[in-house]
Amino acid sequence: MTPKEVRNRKTARRTQQNRIKTGFILILIMSAVLLFFIVRFGYIAASGHVGAVDLSEKTKQIYQQDNVLRARRGTIYDTNANILAEDSNVYTLYAVLDKKSVSAAGKPLYVTDKNKTAQVLSQYISLPADKILQFLSQKNYQVEFGSAGRNLSLDTKQKIEAAKLPGIFFTDTPSRMYPNGTFASHIVGLAQLADTKTADNISTKQLTGILGIEKYFNKALTGKNGSQISKRDSYGYNIPGSKTVTKQAVNGSDIYLSLDARLQSYLEQLMQNVQDKYQPKKMDAVLMNAKTGKIVAATQRPTFNAATKKGLGDLWRDSLVEDTYEPGSVFKLLTLSAAIDSGHYNPNATYQSGSVTIGDSTIHDWNNSGWGTIPFSEVIPRSSNTGAVAIERSMGADIWQQYLNRFHVGQKTGITLPGEASGSIQFKTPLDRAVTSFGQGIDVTVMQMMSYLSAIANGGKMLQPQIIDKTINSQGKVTNYPTKVLGQPITADTAKQVIAAMRDVVEKDYGTGSVFKIDGYENQIAVKTGTAQIAGDDDKYLTGSENYIFSVGGIAPADDPEYVLYLTVQQPDLTDTSAEKIMSEIFNPLMKRALKYRTTSANLDENAIKMPKLTGLTTAEAAKTAQEKGLTVAQVGQGAKIVQQLPAADEKVIAKQRIVLLTEGAMTMPNVVGWSKNDVLKLAEITGCQFKFSGTGYVTSQSLNAGEVLTTNKTITVKLAEP
């Protein structure tokens, strides 16, 4: 064998060996891959997951259709059943542009006439036709129209649908409607869409309370969503004979607040007038029924429009319950109450006003020099700091502290609003105890002050401020919120003596509250004014004549209290006026109107008419029925049948009261000249339209003429004036 043949044989042998090795390696690799797939498929079959994907859930999505049956969120009403917050839907407009989009019958489901479509849509959304045409000229499958095409009302949607424009569609979104705009906004609160899941783990978006009553009672208002589960084939059709499982939704409870829309609206006007005129940094106001603790009207500034969210920004605090501050001289009423009740008060004894030294500190009266030697009966009318200190020292620290505890100073009231603060008190040193007598060294909330004042107005019984009248669940079960007495810190006789001192604040020529006299209610207004310092960032009090929280607490009528009204105004512009004059611009007209309504309410109970059911009747039948009851009819629309009415059937009304009837078809503006604001609010509620008010009293003019079509995307301005 030649050397060449030997080399060839060796090469062939190595080649054969390499082939064997390669084949063996390939067999190992294939066996490993096969084993991996066997293990992988076994794991998938056992676990039902591929990575983070749940295969059973994917299969369920393909062959099972889960629909959420939305529960209706409960409606929030005022005490007279006027709607303050209710469920609604808003709509988003979109256009399909792809010409391949046709129905099974070959009907175009895309925009066929872009110019016509742009012209029609421009009548209903806030975009000109040329801008709409730009959207319609895009190359996308479908387009939306920005903010102009979102949050459309049902009325606008129906009007666009009536034009029968091919390729124009809507998506609906649950929404919350606040028909009164700026109206106790932080109390009523807000509900917004949030991601949630049903009990069957179905994802959905649901309205969730994030502020005020909407937040505090979110669970009760929300109810429980239901579901409908059915089987379907791979084409999306229901499988014949398959069972559909339905779990009905449980609607949320309706909540009736103690607020009276008539007085609340008036308070909002008065507060806004003062805000615009004097530019205070902050204001709070609460009107409460002295006998029940029910809040009749309450608001704050700054505030926001709940319908438009204008002014909301970062303003999420309900200052009536969440903000604490030093109350100042209104707190002297507690000092006097404790001294009288404990037997440490002699109104005829005298003291030296002006200043008093405690340790290394000197306390001055607000005018620095005082009024010489004066009787203790003048401490409250003159608002003497030194007199309050003298009264506190006559009681002693132990007794004073006992009464602070009786009044629950530093404790929450338990009002049904979220985020209530407890306040605090400094009581360690003689100086601490002295300054508490005139409202320093103490932090309170507005609602705590309402509770303290209720004890004086209500014969010594201290009431819990309440904002809820009742709740009614979806089965009709009523839960009432009765008056709650928190304690009796003082006797009825003590309360009468304190009210007498408050009367002197108004009636005596040396009183600090003469500006709070109200015509027609002579000697029936009892008040106490206050001026509290404001702590700065360095824990030192701010200086300057305007850097105070000015306040007034009032009770009326003094001989049989019905109302407690408390106001605070922080750092207003005092260039041409006094703090007391500013507060009187809210206090006097509101208290006068409340006292007037008290008489009206008494007459209502005696002469009440039961509101008939008018919906479903023809316009002629409804008008005749209402007029036979002695009611004044206002008709909205020119339709033949009544579809809505305010007040609702079975509510109490009085003779000549204006009722609003909505007919089928287009809504038209009535002549509202001569109407009260409350009547116009009924019109706003029943139509869903926005109204802007200027002035107070009765309507003198309207921006939309009678007979013109009402639309929800335009604000109607009405001017009011006192008759």
Side-chain angles (χ1 to χ4, degrees):
M1 186 179 293
T2 65
K4 182 177 181 181
E5 290 174 335
V6 172
R7 286 195 302 272
N8 289 339
R9 182 174 291 181
K10 287 181 180 181
T11 299
R13 191 183 299 121
R14 283 197 300 270
T15 301
Q16 182 66 25
Q17 289 174 347
N18 288 339
R19 287 174 179 169
I20 293 172
K21 288 179 182 179
T22 301
F24 182 70
I25 291 171
L26 288 173
I27 290 172
L28 287 176
I29 291 172
M30 291 175 65
S31 298
V33 171
L34 180 61
L35 181 62
F36 170 78
F37 279 112
I38 292 172
V39 172
R40 180 63 173 160
F41 289 141
Y43 170 78
I44 292 172
S47 67
H49 285 77
V50 175
V53 178
D54 187 334
L55 293 180
S56 61
E57 188 64 31
K58 280 291 184 182
T59 304
K60 180 180 174 182
Q61 291 175 8
I62 296 172
Y63 296 106
Q64 178 173 299
Q65 183 172 6
D66 299 342
N67 293 321
V68 175
L69 302 179
R70 283 201 182 95
R72 178 188 65 83
R73 187 173 179 84
T75 301
I76 301 176
Y77 298 92
D78 83 335
T79 190
N80 296 313
N82 294 306
I83 294 174
L84 307 183
E86 66 177 333
D87 267 10
S88 176
N89 276 341
V90 292
Y91 301 88
T92 298
L93 173 71
Y94 70 95
V96 175
L97 305 178
D98 190 341
K99 293 184 178 180
K100 296 178 182 178
S101 181
V102 293
S103 68
K107 181 180 178 181
L109 299 178
Y110 59 89
V111 176
T112 56
D113 189 335
K114 295 180 180 179
N115 286 310
K116 177 186 175 182
T117 301
Q119 289 293 334
V120 172
L121 293 182
S122 68
Q123 300 174 36
Y124 301 105
I125 66 174
S126 56
L127 277 179
D130 59 336
K131 293 290 184 183
I132 296 174
L133 190 59
Q134 290 179 18
F135 280 101
L136 298 177
S137 299
Q138 295 179 18
K139 300 300 182 181
N140 300 331
Y141 175 80
Q142 67 182 49
V143 294
E144 293 184 3
F145 300 89
S147 58
R150 301 190 192 104
N151 297 320
L152 302 180
S153 68
L154 176 60
D155 180 64
T156 301
K157 171 180 178 285
Q158 290 174 337
K159 288 176 179 177
I160 294 174
E161 286 177 331
K164 297 182 179 180
L165 301 171
I168 295 300
F169 301 97
F170 299 86
T171 58
D172 67 309
T173 306
S175 180
R176 196 69 164 162
M177 185 170 69
Y178 301 93
N180 298 297
T182 303
F183 184 100
S185 299
H186 284 84
I187 290 177
V188 176
L190 286 174
Q192 293 184 347
L193 280 181
D195 292 323
T196 186
K197 289 189 176 182
T198 67
D200 299 307
N201 208 35
I202 304 172
S203 295
T204 186
K205 284 187 175 294
Q206 184 164 283
L207 288 166
T208 301
I210 58 174
L211 183 67
I213 292 296
E214 294 272 31
K215 180 178 180 180
Y216 192 95
F217 286 92
N218 184 62
K219 185 175 180 181
L221 285 163
T222 300
K224 293 182 180 179
N225 285 336
S227 60
Q228 189 174 71
I229 303 173
S230 58
K231 301 295 183 182
R232 61 186 181 184
D233 59 24
S234 57
Y235 296 99
Y237 296 105
N238 286 344
I239 298 174
S242 65
K243 185 178 180 181
T244 298
V245 180
T246 301
K247 183 184 290 185
Q248 295 296 335
V250 178
N251 291 331
S253 298
D254 294 333
I255 295 181
Y256 289 75
L257 304 188
S258 57
L259 298 177
D260 185 324
R262 300 170 302 173
L263 292 171
Q264 180 66 41
S265 297
Y266 192 42
L267 175 58
E268 297 288 359
Q269 292 176 42
L270 296 171
M271 291 281 279
Q272 195 57 48
N273 291 343
V274 167
Q275 179 71 36
D276 295 341
K277 195 172 179 181
Y278 302 107
Q279 297 297 307
K281 289 190 176 179
K282 190 171 177 294
M283 288 195 297
D284 294 306
V286 181
L287 178 67
M288 184 174 78
N289 185 306
K291 299 183 186 299
T292 65
K294 300 288 187 181
I295 304 299
V296 179
T299 192
Q300 67 184 68
R301 291 295 184 277
T303 188
F304 65 95
N305 185 311
T308 64
K309 310 303 184 291
K310 183 179 180 181
L312 181 58
D314 297 325
L315 189 67
W316 293 91
R317 295 180 64 80
D318 183 349
S319 63
L320 302 177
V321 293
E322 294 185 66
D323 289 356
T324 60
Y325 60 98
E326 291 188 351
S329 293
V330 178
F331 202 79
K332 289 172 183 170
L333 296 176
L334 273 67
T335 308
L336 179 62
S337 297
I340 295 173
D341 205 68
S342 64
H344 292 84
Y345 177 71
N346 181 354
N348 299 317
T350 60
Y351 73 99
Q352 180 63 39
S353 65
S355 64
V356 59
T357 300
I358 298 177
D360 297 331
S361 299
T362 300
I363 296 171
H364 294 274
D365 280 316
W366 58 268
N367 67 349
N368 288 318
S369 60
W371 307 271
T373 300
I374 58 174
F376 280 99
S377 62
E378 296 184 14
V379 169
I380 295 299
R382 294 187 186 275
S383 198
S384 171
N385 292 339
T386 58
V389 172
I391 293 174
E392 181 272 324
R393 296 176 83 178
S394 72
M395 286 187 289
D398 290 343
I399 292 176
W400 179 220
Q401 188 169 36
Q402 286 176 22
Y403 277 89
L404 290 173
N405 291 336
R406 286 189 187 186
F407 276 101
H408 296 185
V409 176
Q411 298 179 36
K412 298 178 181 180
T413 67
I415 189 171
T416 52
L417 287 170
E420 184 182 16
S422 58
S424 63
I425 181 170
Q426 298 177 33
F427 208 77
K428 293 181 180 180
T429 69
L431 181 61
D432 289 340
R433 296 189 285 273
V435 298
T436 59
S437 69
F438 54 87
Q440 283 190 2
I442 292 176
D443 283 332
V444 300
T445 66
V446 170
M447 287 303 173
Q448 285 173 339
M449 290 298 295
M450 297 304 298
S451 187
Y452 307 153
L453 292 169
S454 74
I456 299 168
N458 193 46
K461 293 180 180 179
M462 187 169 68
L463 304 178
Q464 179 188 63
Q466 293 190 354
I467 196 68
I468 305 295
D469 263 347
K470 62 185 176 183
T471 62
I472 303 177
N473 71 10
S474 58
Q475 285 75 46
K477 181 182 177 182
V478 179
T479 302
N480 292 304
Y481 284 72
T483 297
K484 184 174 182 179
V485 178
L486 298 178
Q488 182 155 353
I490 56 177
T491 65
D493 183 64
T494 297
K496 285 183 180 179
Q497 293 185 56
V498 176
I499 289 176
M502 295 172 68
R503 276 177 164 172
D504 288 346
V505 175
V506 179
E507 300 298 333
K508 296 295 186 182
D509 57 5
Y510 52 78
T512 60
S514 60
V515 71
F516 296 104
K517 290 179 180 179
I518 298 176
D519 292 340
Y521 297 93
E522 288 74 16
N523 205 32
Q524 287 299 308
I525 309 300
V527 308
K528 178 68 192 81
T529 58
T531 303
Q533 292 178 291
I534 303 171
D537 294 335
D538 57 359
D539 291 332
K540 293 182 180 180
Y541 288 117
L542 300 180
T543 59
S545 61
E546 295 180 352
N547 284 324
Y548 292 93
I549 297 174
F550 302 98
S551 60
V552 60
I555 294 169
D559 57 3
D560 184 19
E562 289 283 343
Y563 293 106
V564 178
L565 176 56
Y566 180 67
L567 310 174
T568 68
V569 180
Q570 180 177 325
Q571 296 166 288
D573 180 1
L574 299 177
T575 304
D576 299 314
T577 189
S578 67
E580 289 74 24
K581 178 63 172 61
I582 291 173
M583 292 187 291
S584 74
E585 293 182 22
I586 300 171
F587 184 99
N588 294 21
L590 181 64
M591 185 66 88
K592 185 174 184 177
R593 184 163 291 191
L595 293 170
K596 179 182 176 182
Y597 283 165
R598 177 186 63 145
T599 304
T600 303
S601 297
N603 292 336
L604 175 60
D605 290 336
E606 294 176 5
N607 305 300
I609 298 170
K610 187 177 180 181
M611 181 70 184
K613 183 179 184 298
L614 303 175
T615 53
L617 300 180
T618 66
T619 53
E621 291 171 339
K624 181 180 178 182
T625 301
Q627 288 164 1
E628 287 175 350
K629 290 280 188 179
L631 301 172
T632 302
V633 177
Q635 181 176 313
V636 180
Q638 304 299 321
K641 184 182 291 186
I642 303 300
V643 294
Q644 287 189 54
Q645 67 177 75
L646 276 179
D650 298 331
E651 285 188 23
K652 286 183 179 181
V653 292
I654 58 175
K656 298 183 180 180
Q657 181 173 332
R658 181 174 281 105
I659 63 171
V660 182
L661 304 179
L662 179 65
T663 72
E664 59 188 351
M667 298 185 297
T668 54
M669 181 71 183
N671 181 2
V672 298
V673 173
W675 289 27
S676 68
K677 183 180 179 183
N678 190 51
D679 289 336
V680 179
L681 287 173
K682 291 178 190 174
L683 177 62
E685 180 182 331
I686 206 168
T687 61
C689 297
Q690 295 296 317
F691 285 80
K692 181 180 179 181
F693 298 92
S694 64
T696 61
Y698 294 85
V699 179
T700 58
S701 65
Q702 58 193 73
S703 63
L704 186 67
N705 293 327
E708 292 188 27
V709 175
L710 280 164
T711 58
T712 56
N713 59 349
K714 291 184 179 179
T715 300
I716 302 152
T717 301
V718 294
K719 293 183 179 180
L720 303 100
E722 294 289 351

